[in-house]
Amino acid sequence: MILSLPVTGVFTTNAYFYIDDVTVHGFLLDPGAEANTLLAVIRQKGFTIEKILLTHGHFDHMEAATEISDALSVPICMHEKGRDYAENPRWNLSEGCGLYIKLDDVNYLPDGSEIALEANQAFSLAMHHVPGHTTDSVFYYSAKDNVAFVGDSIFKNSFGLTHFPGGDEGTLMQSVTGKILNLPEKTILLSGHTEPTTVGAERKRSWYAPFL
Ligand SMILES: [Zn+2]
């Protein structure tokens, strides 16, 4: 089961629950704000969240992570390059918005990590490094469910901004076309800020043509 929930802090960001229907255990991706709203959903639905997964270290994807991690006693996971963002409010962009957000207890994982539920090892997501929007951006992929949680690397009808610390447009284009748009065409792409799209739909955009 996938549940999408837009949460609003300075910006509105899509948080996602990716939940195993059998055990009702699962993952919470990008809790960008509204910790109390997300905790209420977890309680109401009876979800057991085993891990919080971040697609990248921008504050609008992780502002509620520490509060939820503390409330549920679950780890926060992100790519190993995420330390630059987690520990630096200028890099995670919170400082520019008058906030001062830091994460100090994070499991930093290498590219290719397979993240499985303790309650059901067959339910898992694979972390794939796709730098460009940030140096630590990843997508989390399930081949079984044909879904990729892509953060801000690619959106419906657009792609991620690259003028923030660690961003690079050439690198982003290589990541998006070489990794995300190489997934099966029917793969559903769930982004940080737009409606769902698919690999097949995004491969047709003219701006990717020189790279495909
Ligand atoms: Zn971002």
Side-chain angles (χ1 to χ4, degrees), residues 21-60:
D21 293 324
V22 179
T23 62
V24 204
H25 283 229
F27 305 116
L28 169 59
L29 295 101
D30 286 359
E34 297 191 51
N36 288 337
T37 307
L38 292 165
L39 286 166
V41 169
I42 292 164
R43 267 196 309 275
Q44 282 161 13
K45 304 272 186 189
F47 296 159
T48 300
I49 299 301
E50 292 195 5
K51 289 183 166 75
I52 295 168
L53 309 180
L54 304 181
T55 59
H56 63 294
H58 280 157
F59 81 102
D60 58 321

Side-chain angles (χ1 to χ4, degrees), residues 81-103:
K81 285 203 158 43
R83 190 185 292 273
D84 293 340
Y85 296 86
E87 297 182 353
N88 186 337
R90 192 175 64 81
W91 270 55
N92 69 41
L93 308 180
S94 61
E95 191 179 273
C97 293
L99 303 168
Y100 196 80
I101 290 164
K102 277 177 147 185
L103 302 183

Side-chain angles (χ1 to χ4, degrees), residues 172-188:
L172 178 76
M173 281 298 162
Q174 280 183 358
S175 289
V176 167
T177 57
K179 293 187 177 173
I180 297 173
L181 296 182
N182 265 346
L183 296 170
E185 292 223 341
K186 63 187 175 182
T187 306
I188 295 163

Side-chain angles (χ1 to χ4, degrees), residues 3-9 11-16 33-34 37-38 192:
L3 185 62
S4 167
L5 191 73
V7 291
T8 303
F11 308 111
T12 296
T13 301
N14 294 325
Y16 294 99
E34 297 191 51
T37 307
L38 292 165

Side-chain angles (χ1 to χ4, degrees), residues 56 58 60-61 93 133-134 152 164 193:
H56 63 294
H58 280 157
D60 58 321
H61 293 252
L93 308 180
H133 174 61
T134 59
D152 290 354
F164 303 124
H193 300 284

